Amino acid sequence: MFKTIADPADCEVRSVIRFLKANSVKQAEIHRQLVEIYGENVMTDGRVRRWVRQFNDGRTNVHDKARSGRPSVVNDGLVAKVNEKIRENRRFTIRMLCDEFPQISKAVLHENVANRLNYRKR
């Protein structure tokens, strides 16, 4: 028995599906081989069939298509303004910054202060 591969990348599994489909392997057999190598939670049989169908229809890209998401209100200029406010008053709180910048949620503001500006609680 082969050693199973834990946590494969999605594009890796899709590449295997594409390769096996090109070798005229049946969809059920592709799923069986994937489960054998990657484990039970790799991909459902229906997903394998969907990817085989997409490759039959001419798709060649194994990566996800770009999706539109919610646009971010945080840009470099806004982060610079937050940094200026923090430098004006070093005893800031996230709640005080939320009052100054109501267009940014508390969670996003905290994430930017901690990760982008590298400020830590003392």
Side-chain angles (χ1 to χ4, degrees), residues 55-113:
F55 291 135
N56 283 338
D57 291 341
R59 181 172 179 161
T60 58
N61 190 358
V62 294
H63 298 285
D64 287 329
K65 294 178 182 176
R67 292 182 251 166
S68 64
R70 188 174 188 180
S72 177
V73 296
V74 180
N75 55 28
D76 292 335
L78 198 54
V79 172
K81 288 179 184 177
V82 170
N83 195 21
E84 286 176 29
K85 281 290 182 189
I86 291 171
R87 290 188 180 276
E88 286 176 13
N89 178 11
R90 298 293 281 192
R91 295 175 157 244
F92 72 94
T93 63
I94 297 296
R95 183 165 310 276
M96 289 168 50
L97 289 174
C98 284
D99 293 340
E100 293 289 328
F101 301 97
Q103 68 271 31
I104 306 174
S105 72
K106 184 178 176 182
V108 171
L109 194 56
H110 182 272
E111 179 184 331
N112 280 286
V113 168

Side-chain angles (χ1 to χ4, degrees), residues 2 4 11 17 19 24 51 54 68 72 78 95 108 116:
F2 300 106
T4 60
C11 61
I17 293 170
F19 174 78
S24 301
W51 277 102
Q54 288 181 15
S68 64
S72 177
L78 198 54
R95 183 165 310 276
V108 171
R116 265 177 110 169

Side-chain angles (χ1 to χ4, degrees), residues 16-47:
V16 171
I17 293 170
R18 184 174 173 215
F19 174 78
L20 292 173
K21 185 212 93 45
N23 282 335
S24 301
V25 178
K26 295 188 185 302
Q27 294 170 352
E29 179 62 19
I30 291 173
H31 182 255
R32 190 195 63 72
Q33 289 182 25
L34 287 174
V35 168
E36 183 178 328
I37 297 299
Y38 294 110
E40 285 293 322
N41 296 327
V42 63
M43 190 180 282
T44 64
D45 186 47
R47 278 266 178 218

